[in-house]
Amino acid sequence: DAGVTQSPTHLIKTRGQHVTLRCSPISGHKSVSWYQQVLGQGPQFIFQYYEKEERGRGNFPDRFSARQFPNYSSELNVNALLLGDSALYLCASSLSGGPAETQYFGPGTRLLVL
Amino acid sequence: AQKVTQAQTEISVVEKEDVTLDCVYETRDTTYYLFWYKQPPSGELVFLIRRNSFDEQNEISGRYSWNFQKSTSSFNFTITASQVVDSAVYFCALSEAQGNSGGSNYKLTFGKGTLLTVNP
């Protein structure tokens, strides 16, 4: 079975631009979470979605938004990019997003903002 | 608020040595879950183990073992007879209910990770 997939794998943008990152969860998983991992740090929680509804968001500005589609895939959008948005963006999926469930991660999208 | 501390930033060992990675956590919840993930240079986080707060039984899986102690809020990870392929960044993570806006989301809070280098 396919794991979590993310696209694109790498992306280079300039300040002020916007970006859309995509994620497809493991088949049968209905919850998707997004994390940002800056170099040398652990992943930081951005959003969690379940059944197309936002369940929660981390401490990120409104420039960050996301949505989940009927097929449970998800998009993360970042507007007005800043240099500090350069990071590895990780998507994770789980069955229903509960605390006891293991979140399985995709390979990530490496975003570089120049 | 929940917090995970991995005090060891980097560890370097020679192949076949045993190595222990430390993890200390903080939470006000009585029910919570702890995880270890491995991140090789490719970047993908690989799940290793999950423990719940009401099961302090230690676990061994091949060369890996985990020591969970609620009294000291620690969840340490030991690799026995390390191999070069074990070289990676290892993350400890904590899951508890955030209870956002009447619902709940169960985010993972990660430590900063420990870079393990196993030299031949």
Side-chain angles (χ1 to χ4, degrees):
Chain A
D1 286 343
V4 177
T5 59
Q6 292 186 244
S7 63
T9 55
H10 294 80
L11 207 50
I12 299 176
K13 293 285 188 178
T14 57
R15 281 177 297 174
Q17 286 188 314
H18 73 272
V19 66
T20 297
L21 310 181
R22 296 178 175 83
C23 170
S24 291
I26 292 171
S27 177
H29 285 191
K30 298 182 178 180
S31 179
V32 168
S33 296
W34 287 94
Y35 293 81
Q36 179 196 64
Q37 186 180 15
V38 174
L39 194 63
Q41 301 292 317
Q44 296 290 316
F45 171 75
I46 311 176
F47 286 109
Q48 185 183 65
Y49 277 80
Y50 174 64
E51 291 281 14
K52 298 177 290 181
E53 297 292 325
E54 180 185 304
R55 258 190 174 169
R57 67 182 296 154
N59 189 23
F60 281 81
D62 292 342
R63 299 185 296 107
F64 288 76
S65 64
R67 55 180 176 167
Q68 187 178 31
F69 299 99
N71 66 353
Y72 305 110
S73 67
S74 177
E75 283 183 355
L76 175 69
N77 294 284
V78 186
N79 293 323
L81 285 166
L82 303 174
L83 296 180
D85 295 331
S86 296
L88 177 66
Y89 288 86
L90 294 162
C91 172
S93 78
S94 62
L95 285 170
S96 61
E101 294 176 11
T102 297
Q103 293 188 29
Y104 294 93
F105 286 80
T109 294
R110 293 188 185 275
L111 172 64
L112 176 62
V113 182
L114 301 176
Chain B
Q2 62 217 60
K3 183 179 178 182
V4 176
T5 301
Q6 294 180 255
Q8 305 151 307
T9 305
E10 294 187 38
I11 299 177
S12 182
V13 299
V14 176
E15 206 170 17
K16 297 185 183 178
E17 284 186 18
D18 298 348
V19 57
T20 295
L21 310 181
D22 298 333
C23 172
V24 174
Y25 61 91
E26 295 177 27
T27 177
R28 285 178 287 187
D29 276 13
T30 54
T31 301
Y32 51 89
Y33 301 85
L34 295 162
F35 301 79
W36 275 95
Y37 286 86
K38 172 183 179 180
Q39 188 174 43
S42 62
E44 184 170 347
L45 282 167
V46 178
F47 165 73
L48 295 176
I49 192 171
R50 178 188 70 218
R51 301 298 283 168
N52 59 52
S53 56
F54 42 90
D55 182 2
E56 288 192 69
Q57 189 172 25
N58 294 324
E59 183 163 337
I60 298 174
S61 176
R63 296 186 297 108
Y64 297 167
S65 62
W66 290 268
N67 183 1
F68 176 33
Q69 293 194 345
K70 283 181 76 171
S71 60
T72 56
S73 296
S74 65
F75 184 42
N76 298 334
F77 172 34
T78 297
I79 301 174
T80 303
S82 60
Q83 300 176 0
V84 173
V85 294
D86 295 328
S87 296
V89 180
Y90 290 84
F91 290 98
C92 180
L94 169 68
S95 171
E96 59 175 46
Q98 183 174 329
N100 182 49
S101 301
S104 294
N105 82 70
Y106 302 100
K107 66 175 184 178
L108 285 172
T109 297
F110 287 84
K112 292 187 176 182
T114 298
L115 172 61
L116 172 64
T117 303
V118 181
N119 299 297

